[in-house]
Amino acid sequence: MNAAIVHRGPDHGAVEPLGRCVLGYRRLSVVDLVTGDQPVADERGEVVAVFNGEIYNFRELRRELAAAGHEIRGTGDSPLIPHAYEQWGLDFARRLEGMFAIALWDRARERLVLVRDRLGKKPLVYAHLPDGTLAFASETKALLALPALPRELDLEQLDAYLALQYVPRSGFRAVRKVPPGSMAVAEHGRVRVERWWSPAEAASAAGDPGPLEPWVERVREEVTAAVRRRLVADVPLGALLSGGIDSSVVVAAMAQASAEPVRTFTVGFPDERYDERRYARAVAERYGTRHEELELDPDPDLVGRVAEAFDEPFGDEAALPTLLLCEATRAHVKVALVGDGGDEVFGGYERYRAHALASRVPRLAAVAGARALGALPRARREPRSTLFRVRRFAEVAAAPAGERYARLVEVFPEPMRRRLWSDEAHARPTGGYLPHAADLRVVDVESYLPGDLLPKADIASMAASLELRSPLLDRRVVELGLALPPELASGKAVLRRAFAADLPPQVAGRGKAGFGVPLERWFREELRPLAEDVLLGGPDRGLFRRAEVERLLREHRGRRADHGHRLWCLLVLELWQRRYVDAGRAARRLAAV
């Protein structure tokens, strides 16, 4: 299991038996390089822990715990964890600020505690084996090193994957994720999961719509402070710079806090519709950063590398450029800051405004408009075109009110999934896979963020042994953002106002573009042979109707529709099954022999 995730920590590793519990870990040395190895224990060796991530308030906690009589070794964050548990019990997680997955063994109580940070920045999965053993790890590929782990697919989760491009739980029935802001406590022969933080609590404390300027100033202060907290490292660090407002704000705050030029890294495409390098260059020139650029061309071998890195079905095509950018960045630095979270916290997604506007459109008019636009070939081909977006908006406005947000985020609509599945009963309404909240930002913080954006960042970066840090997902920033008055909680208006003087005008005034990949062209040209070979030439698994897969390929090839994103989801799903399902079953048969 430990060897399966050596990429997450190539600097050091250990496995330590502790009676009924065995703890293992891998370390990427970033803070306290000399004395920061794990597992870590209290003075008596009664509480032992392993830990992945960073605790940014570790200095304050060390002083507080030392004043309470604890003797903490080393100088970093890891050794304080057992002492924090001793001091505050299961409430200790509330005192930690940062990103973390922790496994802690309490010998006296024979209690195992698995803790995940508030937003789910660091992954943590577990499974019950047939013999009663509880296994846990940072990535599913470590659990798959266990021959006894059942490989049965979770078809409901695979349907959720087709709808959302990620699995909320796991592709395997036996595997579960510790939810964000939660802990799984195993003792007395059972496991209970407890929630210790929720974004809904922050959203419920929405601000008084009084003077707006104090809110703008607070956002500037909190974001700047969050960036500064993430500059603590004993190794070189840099930033991933997309040219969007979020990463540009982070780079601006880094540059203002750093004595040396910041190192920045950007990926671009030959297709100008998807290329943002000119905006990133503007920020790099403004702050004199040491700037590196990478251009991405489609390569079938790269698709295989993504399927290798992601050990669960993962259909966000931005994983491909993210993986390559992280590999290029790791050649220069060990830690990089990113702008993840700005859209969820500060209302940046167009779909939020589209959802609000759709409620004002008479439904009969929306139905007629959707039907008329659907008959226009140009309205079905180019996802970034105005005509395509107007058609999508009309379809959403035509849907019942309770289904509109699900329609905005789904990849395969439910009718299309019913046609695709060999047994159409597997398809569920997309809305059933999403949490319910009045604030759509909370919906995304509880679903899209931990299901898609954070796994993409963590798995892609850790595959390259690179640590990413997200200042805009600092707990204080998130809680402030979700409590903003409505006037400032849309379109990232508050970020634009707070940092207008720090950004080049062409960046400050940009709308949301997203980290897009030109899948439309790729699946008609460079990736077409791979898609046809993998989707039509592989084993018949009995999951999907071959005729429906052929139809998607044919319509896309003939430019009758843009199914690029859907084909990508099907392609990586099949590659995942070959790598992690088929290979696992073969290894299990060999172990039985």
Side-chain angles (χ1 to χ4, degrees), residues 76-329:
D77 53 358
S78 303
L80 69 83
I81 292 172
H83 301 276
Y85 171 79
E86 281 189 316
Q87 185 70 24
W88 299 300
L90 292 176
D91 281 339
F92 81 103
R94 301 178 187 273
R95 303 298 301 271
L96 308 181
E97 302 287 350
M99 55 180 184
F100 48 85
I102 298 169
L104 181 146
W105 176 242
D106 182 335
R107 287 179 187 263
R109 294 182 175 87
E110 292 204 323
R111 170 195 285 171
L112 174 70
V113 184
L114 304 176
V115 186
R116 196 170 178 206
D117 65 65
R118 291 169 178 81
L119 294 165
K121 298 174 192 173
K122 286 298 172 183
L124 185 53
V125 294
Y126 65 97
H128 293 276
L129 302 184
D131 66 356
T133 301
L134 178 68
F136 54 90
S138 289
E139 296 184 25
T140 301
K141 56 174 63 75
L143 297 180
L144 292 170
L146 299 166
L149 181 77
R151 263 65 173 184
E152 182 184 359
L153 297 178
D154 189 328
L155 298 186
E156 180 179 324
Q157 288 293 293
L158 294 189
D159 185 63
Y161 165 77
L162 294 173
L164 302 172
Q165 76 183 12
Y166 60 86
V167 284
R169 210 164 47 229
S170 171
F172 295 104
R173 292 181 64 87
V175 178
R176 292 289 184 271
K177 298 173 184 176
V178 176
S182 301
M183 63 177 65
V185 182
E187 61 182 339
H188 309 310
R190 65 186 185 91
V191 178
R192 68 181 188 274
V193 177
E194 302 176 355
R195 187 85 179 256
W196 57 271
W197 184 88
S198 168
E201 297 174 5
S204 66
D208 183 342
L212 299 183
E213 207 53 41
W215 287 95
V216 174
E217 187 56 34
R218 281 186 63 195
V219 166
R220 181 178 176 82
E221 292 172 358
E222 289 292 0
V223 169
T224 301
V227 169
R228 291 176 180 268
R229 280 192 287 272
R230 283 155 181 79
L231 297 180
V232 175
D234 297 327
V235 295
L237 52 79
L240 305 189
L241 178 59
S242 71
I245 188 171
D246 302 329
S247 62
S248 299
V249 163
V250 169
V251 168
M254 286 179 71
Q256 293 165 9
S258 305
E260 299 294 325
V262 175
R263 300 206 65 150
T264 53
F265 305 87
T266 298
V267 66
F269 300 91
D271 188 334
E272 289 189 1
R273 296 172 302 168
Y274 295 84
D275 193 56
E276 297 186 292
R277 282 175 290 180
R278 63 187 181 276
Y279 300 107
R281 284 186 206 124
V283 176
E285 290 169 2
R286 169 78 175 266
Y287 289 100
T289 73
R290 297 171 61 189
H291 191 56
E292 305 277 346
E293 290 185 355
L294 172 72
E295 184 170 279
L296 174 61
D297 280 314
D299 182 343
D301 291 339
L302 296 180
V303 180
R305 287 167 57 192
V306 170
E308 174 74 20
F310 287 82
D311 52 17
E312 62 180 33
F314 191 77
D316 186 341
E317 69 274 15
L320 179 56
T322 303
L323 178 62
L324 291 185
L325 183 58
C326 287
E327 290 175 347
T329 302

